[in-house]
Amino acid sequence: MKWPRTGLGVAATAFALDQLLKWIVTGPMALNSLADPAVDLLPIFRMRFVANDGVSLGLLRAGSDEARWALVAMTAAIAAGVLAWMWREPKRWDQAALGLVLGGALGNIADRARLGYVVDYADLHVGDWSPFLVFNLGDAAITMGVIILLARAVIIREKAPVQALANEGPVEAGRVENDNA
């Protein structure tokens, strides 16, 4: 089986950028607690620290060490499934999308294993209204990877077998071809 270089490269890049941005936010920017003031970077984008001890949308909160490690195990199992899919995927675009999902997941797993929570920092807003929860680059990578996979599955379909047969030409009525004969 051939190595999925595209997917692994995208995963490594997403993971590295996710961890670098989290370090910048908690290190040089010194956003380490909810008490730290947010930093407005654009009129619609601010950086602020959130320690996310749950999964997407704040679900499945890990209130104990057992729950924390259960979340690590669950997300690691999902990441292993994504890696297995990537390994079997021949299409480079799908490998890249799976790499985004894997890299983002690994970045969040690393946080949860090391810190007990995932560092979230990106806050998109319009005035005082924030239509999204605070997220991080790993979350964005996972979301974009899933959107690409869904779009490719819905929009860019392969020829259906029936259509391929129709393109082979007419078949005489009552005549059945048997390749096994």
Side-chain angles (χ1 to χ4, degrees):
M1 180 108 353
K2 197 172 173 184
W3 279 63
R5 287 190 200 119
T6 300
L8 293 173
V10 170
T13 302
F15 173 79
L17 288 174
D18 174 67
Q19 293 298 294
L20 175 65
L21 285 173
K22 289 172 180 173
W23 173 79
I24 290 170
V25 167
T26 59
M29 290 183 76
L31 297 174
N32 296 311
S33 76
L34 293 173
D36 293 333
V39 176
D40 288 321
L41 298 178
L42 296 170
I44 62 165
F45 182 73
R46 75 173 60 109
M47 303 285 266
R48 67 185 181 107
F49 177 84
V50 173
N52 180 1
D53 64 354
V55 292
S56 294
L57 304 175
L59 303 172
L60 297 175
R61 302 198 75 82
S64 67
D65 272 349
E66 293 80 17
R68 165 190 172 192
W69 290 108
L71 279 178
V72 169
M74 179 183 73
T75 52
I78 293 168
V82 169
L83 180 62
W85 180 4
M86 181 194 307
W87 219 272
R88 292 189 316 267
E89 182 57 57
K91 297 180 191 110
R92 291 175 57 142
W93 277 103
D94 291 342
Q95 280 186 24
L98 291 165
L100 286 170
V101 173
L102 180 62
L106 292 176
N108 288 342
I109 290 168
D111 281 9
R112 192 175 310 286
R114 190 183 66 221
L115 304 169
Y117 55 86
V118 174
V119 175
D120 287 339
Y121 52 81
D123 184 11
L124 292 172
H125 63 90
V126 177
D128 291 335
W129 180 59
S130 292
F132 304 105
L133 295 173
V134 178
F135 60 97
N136 61 48
L137 184 103
D139 299 334
I142 292 167
T143 301
M144 291 307 300
V146 169
I147 288 171
I148 292 167
L149 289 169
L150 289 173
R152 289 184 55 79
V154 172
I155 297 169
I156 306 172
R157 294 184 183 176
E158 304 229 358
K159 278 187 176 180
V162 173
Q163 186 179 16
L165 286 175
N167 291 338
E168 289 181 9
V171 176
E172 293 177 30
R175 182 175 152 226
V176 176
E177 293 185 24
N178 186 351
D179 290 340
N180 295 329

